[in-house]
Every structure is written in structure tokens, then in C-alpha cells.
Amino acid sequence: MKKIYKYLAGLAIIAGITSCTKLNVPVESQYTKTNFPQTTADYTALLGTMYSNLSSNYAVPYWRMQELSTDEAILPARDGNYDDGGQYRQLHYHTWTADHPNVTGIWQWGFSGINTCNRLITVVNGANSSASVKAAYIAEIRAMRALYYYLLMDLYGNLPIISTFPVNSPPPTQPRAKVFQFIESELLNVLPNLPAKTNSLATNTLQYGRPTKGMVFALLAKMYLNAGVYTGSTRYQDVVTMADSVENNTNYFLDARYRDIFLPNNGPQINETIFAIPYDQQIPGNQFTRFGFFYYLASAYGMNVGLSIAMSTTPEFYNRFNLAGDFRTKTWLVGPQYYPDGNGGFTSQPAYYPGTTTQIVITPNLILVPPKPMDVGNTIASQSEGIRSIKYYPDPTIIQATRLNGNDVPVFRLADVYLMKAEAILRGANATAVNGELQTPLILVNKLRTRAGAQTATSIDLPGLLDERARELSWEGWRRNDLIRYGLFEVSYPLPNDNLTMNTAPSRRLYPIPNTELKTNPNLVQNPGY
């Protein structure tokens, strides 16, 4: 399945490479109306470009902007190692600038995807295919363009809206509310021409990692849940409507085991995945084992590679994993370490630091060692500081050449839809029945707790729901989005011996438009506070 996706993306690299760097490449220099595209294979190769671009940065720099700016993930320096010019601590302390490498890189990545989609629409419109065939592929492309726009709107707010290819003049910045309206209109327009999830694994494999009706419903639910942030007007009942639209397709249902969603062999067989980004162990891969695992546990987990001693979560965030029996707590490594049992748990065999009979112990606190900023030092003891994640379970076949995971990364899944619906109802929307069941927030939350083996809740309120989102969706790229919606993005959580101060200005809820873009496009307007 991942080989199929890799083939789809790989075929398109040559065709699409110029779209990443130039806006005015003549379409006819790559395709002609008489020879391309015509067959399903032609279209598959053509559209692969927009998917390969998406995977190239989603699970590393995009993820870092969403997570390292919160309490959910932190990448401290270790005696200067992993400082990388201060880019990770700038995310942690909200002190990034318009020259931050992720700020610049993700803007360019997003608009590379948008411009690629615009180019593909031009090509498909000129193809020698039936109107229905072209309508289906154009709907797929426009849905992907809308996704790119959503990812950028969430980070940067005000954006230029580019919907044609080539671009003949520098586009101006548009208000966030107008960008929201554009995305919403695009999604609603293409919805009828997108496929729905079926009960056929073969069909779902062909759709996997591509837009479906379910993806549109989930993305609209996410937009409507955050509409108060994005536009100033709340739309909570619309969240419920979109959630119900997902649930009305009974081919989406919770998988029996939480861990299966994130294993190295995850894919279209996961029933609750609505949209995921497929990865293999080649570049681009995802970072979760290389940066988020623990170096000295590699051999215990069957790996023979060199990993980093870098990324973890904060003690403050981990404290939310406090429910008896909750399997989700096992996705974190803290305390004395043991060999895994292969089923998501652990044996009684201690894991030792290499060459010793000293058991590995991971301690939760990140104790800084001034004067170097956000630096915990690089002794064995300090290397063992910081709770590590095995949510995206380490792949024993990981290769030294890349040290990257092959686990696919979910963007939207049914569990998030449940939690979005629950929150919308708590914020004033009316509860609705699906398949004969009146779904109150408590019922929706307890569906997830029951699947995780955790004790069920007897009541739920908005703060409790935020904690439930933390437990269910940790490291899935939504923490910044959640904290901003809850008005908590500016809350600081200082580390012991901290010599830096977090910037708590509300303007930090948006990233700046990169300086490089302002210099090349005089019609862009910088976000306030930068």
C-alpha cells in the first residue's frame, strides 16, 4: 500500500518539480492536450505531485510549528547539541521572527502545494477526457488545494488567494475571514464529486491518502469549531452537522486497539482514519523515532541505528495522563525501562544502558543548565531527562540511512470528530442522534475512554474536554490549534533554572509572513506585532 503511494508520488516528481520554484512555467512545456493525461495511470502520475509535496514537510517542520510552540512537545539543547541556531527554543518561548527557518519554509511549502494544484487544474481542464472524468480529478485537486490553504490559514491567518496558473502579478494579502470563506466555498463545491469511504479494503486502498467526502466533512468541522478564532463568528451547530455527516457513513468506526492506528504498518485497514499522509522510511519520512524516541533503548526495541537524544514532552503535559487503565499512558516512556512485549506493553526484563548493568531510567523533569539557553546538558543523566513518545511505534526495520519512520500520520480521524462534536455541544450546539443514539458530550468522550481501557467519566466540561483531547490526540498536530481556541496559548510553563522568558503577546497566535516573501511581493501585508 505504501509502495503504491510512493509510486504515485514518485512518478510525479519530474513533472512537478518546476512548480515548486517558479510560478510562470508554461503548461505546454510539460504536457500537451493530445498526449497527456488520458489514462488512469496518467492521472495518477500527474496528481502525485501535490501529495509528494504535502508529505515532504508535514511531519517535521509543519508539525514543529504546531507542537513545539505548546506544552505538548519540546526539543531542548543538550550542551549545545540540537540548538540549531535557537530555532526550537524560539518556538518554545514564542520568540520566533519573520526569518525563522520554519516560518519561511512552511509558507513556501504551502504555496508550492497551492501553485502545484493550480497548475494541475489547468492541465486537467485541457486534457482530452470526458467531462465527468475531468470533474472528478479537478474536485480532488481543489480539495487538496483547500487543505493546503487551511494549514496555512491556521498558521499565518491572512494570506493571498491564488486560484489560477500562471500567476501574472503579485497577489495581495486577503483577510483571514475571506480566506476562510474561500476554503469553505471550495470544499462545499467539490463535495458531490468526491468518493465516500466504502466497506471494500481494495477501494479504500485506492482512496487512501486522497480526499474523500469524509475528509471534507472533517475539515469543515475543524474550520467551524475554530470559526470564532478565524472569522469572529462562532458556528458550533455546523460542527455537529459536519460530525454527523462523517458518522452517517458507518464504514468509519473506532478501531478496537488504540495502538494499531499508529503502528509502522498502519494504512487503509484502519477504520477510523479519515485522511492520513502515507510515509515510508525514505526521505521525506517522519521524525518520531529519530527525534522522539530514546537513543539507549534502540537495541531493546530491535533497532540497530543511531538516533537523536532530543525531543520529549513536558511534565505539565504528561500529568494529564492520569486515568486508571488508560492504554494511552503507555505511549509515553518514563521511569524505569523494560523490554517491550510486542503488544504495546512491557516485559519484566530491564533495559540497561549499553555496556552496563544499570537500568535505564527516564526522568520527567527537564532541568536546565545555564548559561546556555534551554539547555539540559549532555551527561547520561541529563540525556535521560524528558518523557519520550512511542505513540508512532518504533519500527525495528528502520534504516540508518534516513533514521525516519514509515508510520503514516493521521490528519483527521473519527476520534477527533467525536471530540469536536462534544466540544461544540458543550459550547452551545444542540446534541443530535446518530444511528438511533443521542450523542451527548459524555457519551462521545466515554466511547474513546472505553476503547483506551480507561475509567469512564461521570461528567465532562470544557476544561475536562481539553484534557481529553490531549490524551487522545497527543503529537497529532492539534495542540496549538486547541490552546488558541481555549485562550490558553499564552500560558507559560517555565522549566527549572530557566533564564529565558516566554513572549505572551496575543499577536503570537499568528506566525509572521516571512521577510523573504515581503521583499519579493510588495502587495503582502505583515501580520500585527511583527
Side-chain angles (χ1 to χ4, degrees), residues 101-250:
N102 289 167
V103 168
T104 301
I106 291 304
W107 176 282
Q108 294 173 347
W109 164 76
F111 277 103
S112 172
I114 289 166
N115 289 321
T116 294
C117 291
N118 290 335
R119 177 180 58 82
L120 295 178
I121 290 171
T122 301
V123 174
V124 173
N125 273 328
N128 185 22
S129 300
S130 69
S132 61
V133 167
K134 291 197 288 187
Y137 284 115
I138 287 174
E140 180 178 352
I141 298 166
R142 288 172 66 185
M144 283 299 298
R145 183 176 65 183
L147 176 63
Y148 275 114
Y149 259 112
Y150 174 76
L151 299 176
L152 292 180
M153 179 188 71
D154 186 67
L155 290 173
Y156 300 95
N158 311 301
L159 305 168
I161 296 176
I162 308 169
S163 58
T164 59
F165 182 88
V167 179
N168 295 316
S169 60
T173 305
Q174 300 292 342
R176 197 182 209 181
K178 188 170 182 179
V179 180
F180 180 102
Q181 292 170 357
F182 172 76
I183 299 169
E184 179 187 28
S185 175
E186 286 290 290
L187 292 173
L188 293 174
N189 187 276
V190 303
L191 184 59
N193 289 314
L194 292 174
K197 183 180 175 69
T198 72
N199 60 4
S200 165
L201 180 58
T203 300
N204 294 334
T205 298
L206 293 175
Q207 295 176 0
Y208 185 66
R210 302 168 74 172
T212 60
K213 293 183 191 296
M215 189 203 91
V216 168
F217 294 139
L219 177 50
L220 286 170
K222 188 69 70 175
M223 290 177 61
Y224 295 148
L225 183 64
N226 293 280
V229 174
Y230 297 150
T231 72
S233 299
T234 59
R235 297 181 63 175
Y236 297 126
Q237 199 62 48
D238 289 334
V239 178
V240 175
T241 299
M242 291 301 105
D244 289 352
S245 296
V246 173
E247 290 190 74
N248 285 334
N249 184 339
T250 56

Side-chain angles (χ1 to χ4, degrees), residues 97-418:
T97 69
D99 295 311
H100 189 281
N102 289 167
V103 168
T104 301
I106 291 304
W107 176 282
Q108 294 173 347
W109 164 76
F111 277 103
S112 172
I114 289 166
N115 289 321
T116 294
C117 291
N118 290 335
R119 177 180 58 82
L120 295 178
I121 290 171
T122 301
V123 174
V124 173
N125 273 328
N128 185 22
S129 300
S130 69
S132 61
V133 167
K134 291 197 288 187
Y137 284 115
I138 287 174
E140 180 178 352
I141 298 166
R142 288 172 66 185
M144 283 299 298
R145 183 176 65 183
L147 176 63
Y148 275 114
Y149 259 112
Y150 174 76
L151 299 176
L152 292 180
M153 179 188 71
D154 186 67
L155 290 173
Y156 300 95
N158 311 301
L159 305 168
I161 296 176
I162 308 169
S163 58
T164 59
F165 182 88
V167 179
N168 295 316
S169 60
T173 305
Q174 300 292 342
R176 197 182 209 181
K178 188 170 182 179
V179 180
F180 180 102
Q181 292 170 357
F182 172 76
I183 299 169
E184 179 187 28
S185 175
E186 286 290 290
L187 292 173
L188 293 174
N189 187 276
V190 303
L191 184 59
N193 289 314
L194 292 174
K197 183 180 175 69
T198 72
N199 60 4
S200 165
L201 180 58
T203 300
N204 294 334
T205 298
L206 293 175
Q207 295 176 0
Y208 185 66
R210 302 168 74 172
T212 60
K213 293 183 191 296
M215 189 203 91
V216 168
F217 294 139
L219 177 50
L220 286 170
K222 188 69 70 175
M223 290 177 61
Y224 295 148
L225 183 64
N226 293 280
V229 174
Y230 297 150
T231 72
S233 299
T234 59
R235 297 181 63 175
Y236 297 126
Q237 199 62 48
D238 289 334
V239 178
V240 175
T241 299
M242 291 301 105
D244 289 352
S245 296
V246 173
E247 290 190 74
N248 285 334
N249 184 339
T250 56
N251 294 306
Y252 293 113
F253 54 90
L254 294 181
D255 290 270
R257 300 201 309 175
Y258 182 79
R259 72 185 299 260
D260 290 353
I261 307 166
F262 309 98
L263 290 175
N265 65 346
N266 60 353
Q269 76 277 12
I270 302 301
N271 300 293
E272 69 185 77
T273 298
I274 299 171
F275 182 78
I277 300 178
Y279 283 99
D280 58 24
Q281 296 168 338
Q282 303 302 316
I283 294 174
N286 73 58
Q287 66 182 335
F288 300 116
T289 292
R290 177 177 178 179
F291 287 100
F293 190 51
F294 186 57
Y295 177 89
Y296 295 114
L297 284 170
S299 61
Y301 282 72
M303 295 180 288
N304 185 28
V305 296
L307 303 174
S308 300
I309 304 175
M311 194 164 62
S312 64
T313 194
T314 65
E316 183 272 340
F317 183 79
Y318 176 74
N319 287 341
R320 292 173 171 81
F321 289 78
N322 54 6
L323 302 179
D326 191 346
F327 176 83
R328 296 169 299 187
T329 304
K330 294 183 180 180
T331 63
W332 301 102
L333 298 178
V334 62
Q337 295 301 298
Y338 299 86
Y339 274 72
D341 64 8
N343 197 40
F346 305 94
T347 68
S348 59
Q349 180 182 356
Y352 299 127
Y353 291 102
T356 76
T357 56
T358 301
Q359 187 174 11
I360 295 171
V361 178
I362 296 177
T363 54
N365 290 326
L366 293 161
I367 302 173
L368 302 184
V369 183
K372 294 178 181 177
M374 206 176 87
D375 196 309
V376 297
N378 206 23
T379 65
I380 293 293
S382 64
Q383 289 171 5
S384 303
E385 293 179 5
I387 302 158
R388 303 318 208 272
S389 173
I390 55 168
K391 182 171 183 174
Y392 299 90
Y393 200 80
D395 186 349
T397 67
I398 191 171
I399 57 177
Q400 181 64 43
T402 64
R403 298 178 290 170
L404 296 172
N405 288 51
N407 315 55
D408 298 346
V409 177
V411 180
F412 301 111
R413 57 187 182 92
L414 184 61
D416 191 5
V417 170
Y418 284 167

